[in-house]
Amino acid sequence: MQANLSKIIPPGNKAGIMYVLYHDDLDGYMSAAIIKRLVDFAPVVEAVFIKVQYHQPCPLNDIELDENDFVYIVDFSYDKETILSLRQKVK
C-alpha cells in the first residue's frame, strides 16, 4: 500500500510538525489510528498525537507553533475563537 499525503499536506509546502488532536474516546482513538497508519506509510512529516477532552483548554496553546506546522482535529471540535486562533498560527 502506498500512501499519498498530498491531500493532507499540500505539495510544495515545507512540512513542519503535524499535530493531530483526537478525542479521548474509542472513536477518537480510531480516528487517530487512521491518520497514524497513513503517516506510517508516508513518513514525510513528524507527527505528534495528543488526546483532548471537552471543557479543557487546547494543549497547543502551550506550544510554540511554526507557520509550517499542521493541525488536524479529529472526532472533536473547539469553539470558534480557539479554531481561529490556531488558524492564524499554522496551516
Side-chain angles (χ1 to χ4, degrees):
M1 176 180 178
Q2 185 170 359
N4 181 354
L5 287 181
S6 66
K7 292 187 190 289
I8 58 174
I9 300 175
N13 286 336
K14 177 185 170 197
I17 297 172
M18 176 192 293
Y19 292 96
V20 180
L21 306 180
Y22 63 96
H23 194 196
D24 187 10
D25 67 1
L26 291 178
D27 51 331
Y29 300 152
M30 180 55 77
S31 299
I34 291 167
I35 300 293
K36 172 122 177 49
R37 184 74 170 161
L38 180 62
V39 171
D40 287 347
F41 277 108
V44 297
V45 296
E46 177 184 350
V48 176
F49 292 80
I50 304 171
K51 291 186 272 189
V52 293
Q53 193 57 266
Y54 289 106
H55 310 295
Q56 294 180 356
C58 177
L60 297 181
N61 292 341
D62 300 328
I63 296 173
E64 186 174 330
L65 299 170
D66 182 88
E67 67 180 11
N68 292 311
D69 293 340
F70 290 81
V71 175
Y72 290 93
I73 303 171
V74 295
D75 187 50
F76 193 77
S77 181
Y78 284 108
D79 60 81
K80 184 177 178 180
E81 292 172 6
T82 301
I83 296 294
L84 292 175
S85 174
L86 286 172
R87 180 66 182 109
Q88 290 177 348
K89 297 176 186 177
V90 297
K91 295 179 180 174

